[in-house]
Each structure stands twice: as C-alpha cells, then as structure tokens.
Amino acid sequence: MSKAPSNDRVFIGYGSGAEGKFAKLPDPRTGKANSYLLRSGSLQEINWFKLRLTSWFVGESVVEDGGVYMSTLVDPLFVLLPILEQGRQTTTEKPQGQFRPLEDILMDAQAQYPAMELLKDAVSASLPLICQVAGRGSDKYYRLDDDQVVAWLACKVEQLAESLLHGPNQAFAGMGKAGVRAYAVEFLSEWVSESWLEKLQKAFGITASPITAQATPKAAPTSKWCTAPESAEVMQFADKAPAKRPAAVQKSTPADKARQTKMAKLAKDSKGMAKMSSFFTKR
C-alpha cells in the first residue's frame, strides 16, 4: 500500500461526477468570505471536519490528512439576500428602495467577489420569492421586499419544523409545535443577519431562546409560494390558522410533572444540535 501525495484530500459532495466551480462568496450572516461549490445548477457550502490522529484508506493508498471536506446544498437566496438588501439603495425620498436590473445589483459586489456573477442563473427563477419584479420580457427589474423575505423565511421554518417533528429523530417530539418552530428559527440564524432574525422571531411571536421560550402560537406569514393542499395529512409549509391556547390552566398532576421533566430533558439533549458550525469549520 502506497502513500498518496500530500496534497490529496477527501471530498464528499452532492452531484458526484458533474463538473463544478469553486468560488469565494460572502457568508450571509457574517459577510466574511466563505467557500462554495457551484455544480449541477446548485450552490453548495463547503465545510471541513477532522478528528485527531486520523487518515483515509483510498483504494491502495493512504491519505495522510484524515480530514474530510463536505459540501451541503444551500439556497442561493441566502447568499444573495445581503446583496439585494444593499442593492435596493434606500433613501429618505425612496425608503423602499429602487428597482434595478439583477446585473447591476450583482455588479456592486463583483469587485470583491468575482464569482457573484455565477449566481445569476441559480437565482433568476426564485428571485420573485423575495423581490418585487417590474418590467416586461427579458427586461426585468428587482427590488427586495421585506414582507416577502419574512414569508419566505417562514416557509423555511415550517419545513424544518415539520421534518424535526415527524422525522425518525424523536428527540423533538416533546417540545411541541411552538417550541420546535422556535428551535427552527434559531437554526436558521446561521444563514441570516441579526435584523432578519429579529423580524422572523417577531413574526412567530418568539421572545426568548428556543429551548426555554413559550412562544406565542401564531400563524406563519404566508404567501402564494408558501401553501400546501388542504387534504395533506402533514402540512409541509405554513399553517393556515394559529394554534389555540387552552381556555384555562389546569392544576398539574404527578403525571404532568413527569411529562414536563421528560420534555425538558429532550429539549436539553437537542440543544447541542442547534449549530452546524459546532461540528464543521467553514473554509
């Protein structure tokens, strides 16, 4: 068995076999440069993970660096959101900003991130989810809309909450829908700025941390892109009606206290899973 060249690395990504382009783009939360891969019409965020004293056996060779690079799919609108927010150029006379061509908006960031132009094809179809659109034919002009952004983020929250509640991991079952929603909002905080996080928390009535919060049950902000068939057994997107509180608070019984203790333990166990960045280091 031979030793692989020192520059060999192990990479696991989505869409294996297809050609891709590595690119530096701004992190949507911090604004700092982050590594991404554009492949098969998708945007993938690259993370790196390594345990101590590890190597890889690849074929008949040993890769000395035991780290692994992993790319995970990410909605390109997250990356573009800060660019669109700055690109609408709000003024006192025009507090909502201006309609501008996508090429002009991206050009503002291309000086620092030349790969920004590569996002054009990846987001052209989904931009109406978060932007108002004007123009005809191929001449289109975009302006970020706060209400549409919050509705779009709310859809992400609902999708994640349903996956956690009805997935194979039952650690979230005892948290209830409101608790899991708050947890999902906190999870999305890795991909949005503090200002958008505050707006999303307000939309769901969340005023504390996802583990200790008693979030006020509230209907998710909806839009024509965030609906599900009424006949669906499990709502995949935003609920159509707010949850209801019980009319009166009943006296707790020993069984209730035991159930509350179990729920608190489940919530504590799931708390360590809130941040993906605790397991992966962005490169």
Side-chain angles (χ1 to χ4, degrees):
M1 182 173 291
S2 62
K3 180 179 177 181
S6 59
N7 59 345
D8 279 6
R9 298 292 185 271
V10 174
F11 181 88
I12 302 174
Y14 174 82
S16 59
E19 294 184 0
K21 294 182 179 180
F22 290 96
K24 287 288 186 180
L25 295 169
D27 183 281
R29 181 175 65 86
T30 66
K32 298 180 180 179
N34 193 19
S35 297
Y36 293 89
L37 172 65
L38 290 101
R39 182 164 63 178
S40 302
S42 65
L43 181 66
Q44 304 174 40
E45 182 183 38
I46 299 176
N47 298 280
W48 181 74
F49 175 72
K50 186 181 187 305
L51 295 173
R52 294 182 60 191
L53 306 177
T54 56
S55 297
W56 287 98
F57 292 98
V58 180
E60 296 298 323
S61 302
V62 177
V63 178
E64 184 177 358
D65 186 337
V68 57
Y69 289 85
M70 302 181 67
S71 65
T72 53
L73 291 173
V74 59
D75 193 326
L77 289 182
F78 280 114
V79 176
L80 200 59
L81 182 57
I83 309 301
L84 292 169
E85 187 174 10
Q86 184 177 3
R88 59 183 168 184
Q89 298 178 340
T90 57
T91 62
T92 305
E93 294 75 17
K94 295 183 178 180
Q96 293 184 333
Q98 305 178 44
F99 284 92
R100 301 177 64 198
L102 180 58
E103 293 81 359
D104 291 356
I105 298 174
L106 296 180
M107 191 177 298
D108 295 340
Q110 278 183 235
Q112 185 175 2
Y113 299 101
M116 189 65 67
E117 185 180 5
L118 300 176
L119 289 181
K120 181 179 177 181
D121 294 336
V123 302
S124 57
S126 57
L127 271 178
L129 295 175
I130 60 175
C131 291
Q132 297 178 10
V133 184
R136 294 182 180 180
S138 59
D139 296 327
K140 294 188 181 298
Y141 303 87
Y142 302 90
R143 183 175 67 186
L144 191 69
D145 183 273
D146 288 10
D147 291 337
Q148 288 181 225
V149 172
V150 173
W152 171 71
L153 290 173
C155 291
K156 301 289 187 183
V157 170
E158 291 298 326
Q159 288 175 325
L160 178 57
E162 289 297 338
S163 297
L164 294 175
L165 282 172
H166 303 285
N169 188 346
Q170 297 299 311
F172 299 91
M175 295 176 64
K177 186 62 177 286
V180 175
R181 273 179 175 168
Y183 181 93
V185 169
E186 181 71 12
F187 188 88
L188 284 184
S189 67
E190 286 200 39
W191 290 277
V192 295
S193 65
E194 189 67 27
S195 61
W196 289 115
L197 178 61
E198 291 175 356
K199 292 176 183 177
L200 188 59
Q201 289 174 331
K202 182 178 179 181
F204 281 104
I206 299 170
T207 57
S209 70
I211 303 303
T212 60
Q214 292 295 328
T216 304
K218 200 169 185 179
T222 59
S223 71
K224 63 181 179 181
W225 302 283
C226 187
T227 57
E230 293 183 5
S231 59
E233 294 182 3
V234 177
M235 292 295 287
Q236 296 180 347
F237 301 105
D239 291 336
K240 294 186 177 180
K244 296 181 179 179
R245 288 184 179 274
V249 178
Q250 298 180 355
K251 184 178 181 180
S252 60
T253 64
D256 293 330
K257 293 180 178 179
R259 183 165 52 253
Q260 292 172 0
T261 301
K262 181 179 179 181
M263 289 173 62
K265 182 179 183 301
L266 290 170
K268 181 179 180 181
D269 292 341
S270 65
K271 184 175 182 180
M273 298 163 51
K275 293 290 184 181
M276 184 181 296
S277 57
S278 62
F279 301 96
F280 299 100
T281 301
K282 295 178 180 178
R283 287 297 179 90

